[in-house]
Amino acid sequence: MEETLAPQEIQPAPKKRRLWLRILIIALAAILAIVAALGITFVAVWNDEISTVSSFTKLRDRNDENKEGAVYRMDVKGGFYFDAFLKNGGAKSDKELINFITGNITKGLIDMTISESDIACSSFTASTADGKRLFGRNYDFDKTNVCITLCNPGGGRYKSFSTVDLNYVGMDIDKDVEGLMNKITCLAAPFAPLDGINEKGVSCGIYMSYQGNLEEANAVATNQNDPAKKDITSTTMLRMVLDYADSVDKAVELIQSYNLHDSANTSFHYMIADATGKSAILEWVPENGTDATDNDGAARKLNVIYNTDPRYNEIRGNAEVQYQWITNFIISDGYYDGVDESEMAGLDRYNHIQSRLQATDGVVENEQAAMQILKEVGRRTWNGGGGVTVHSVVYNLTDKTALWVANENFGDKTATYSYSLETGELKQVG
């Protein structure tokens, strides 16, 4: 007969072991709760920034042999603190702007940058055969990466399409924008547009004006200091126009309330147009001053030259289209007194655009015909070539659309993009 063994009695775990197990479980629960809370806080604080960085995508590869950088797209979620930037008095310098961006967008955790940019460029307004208003623009610089930046900030601000040179926010011109840190740095892009259009049909561009005697002046940037006015830098002025102006008149009104502090230790002027056909060139020049005496950026005053100015009467004759055009050439009266034409930056392109528009009384068949004029003054071929036109764009101010071409690849559908502010659709033409 087999012997039946009595089951052994299970001994309870020592009290100390049970206590440590309980402590471990509580500690793990606490850690998980902290991690979850941090995650929720992180998402709550940086939700817009996370969404914006996630939208950063490449549209077109770089082509180093042809001096072409890559083309990117970024859909900016939220207001990127621009209301606060203006409310707090703007910025007197790129350094102040960087401090604001770093402190607000990255909460001081990640340094950001604004770099120099040597901008040439050309623009003009015209009308199509069926009466639609156009604004054409070439951005001349060098090989660089660019980002088509789409903003819809809400809160009474307008939706917009703009182009940003990513070199200006610190990206290497010879490398793709890769890695999380670089993409986070590109969150500064909304503060650095070079041209754009908003949903009200207002378009604006920025152009170097090469003011002052560069050999004698240590700094030729406009640096106004009226204590009654707030302060703003070059590209943030353009952002202000895109976000808040529903007309040329409103844009000028906004700009007149600010001291301009040009970026990169150089000087700029602007062209603004709207869907009514009104446009204006904005220049900061000394009163009764000339290029030879323009070496004090604090002495410059805003001069607004509208497309209705009498100076255009002889050129345009009885043309119904009050077209206007701009390059790096200063058009304020008397500015180039005593200066040889060979030293007037952008005069050759200025004259060519004038002659092309004058030949048709400012009317072009369509956006493609306007793009042809931009092609003719592109830096790769103009006067024997040697330069780079980074992008060319024709804004239809009536339809609120953009036709955008990368690096003078005119006729190449894979390098051509269209955008509609009404539908929000950005698509490759080819």
Side-chain angles (χ1 to χ4, degrees), residues 2-79:
E2 294 183 357
E3 185 178 351
T4 303
L5 298 177
Q8 294 184 354
E9 184 177 349
I10 299 174
Q11 298 297 324
K15 290 184 178 180
K16 283 187 177 181
R17 187 181 301 171
R18 292 201 302 270
L19 178 61
W20 279 108
L21 182 61
R22 187 178 304 166
I23 292 172
L24 179 61
I25 292 172
I26 292 172
L28 287 173
I31 291 171
L32 290 173
I34 292 171
V35 170
L38 288 174
I40 293 171
T41 301
F42 181 85
V43 171
V45 172
W46 281 289
N47 178 61
D48 288 346
E49 288 77 12
I50 292 170
S51 177
T52 301
V53 169
S54 299
S55 76
F56 191 88
T57 54
K58 183 190 287 187
L59 297 178
R60 181 175 173 82
D61 289 331
R62 64 191 305 105
N63 180 354
D64 292 319
E65 291 183 1
N66 198 38
K67 297 182 180 180
E68 296 185 33
V71 179
Y72 297 89
R73 165 187 180 158
M74 186 166 70
D75 295 76
V76 181
K77 184 177 180 182

Side-chain angles (χ1 to χ4, degrees), residues 352-364:
H352 181 82
I353 295 171
Q354 174 185 321
S355 65
R356 290 287 279 110
L357 295 172
Q358 194 171 359
T360 61
D361 288 337
V363 178
V364 295

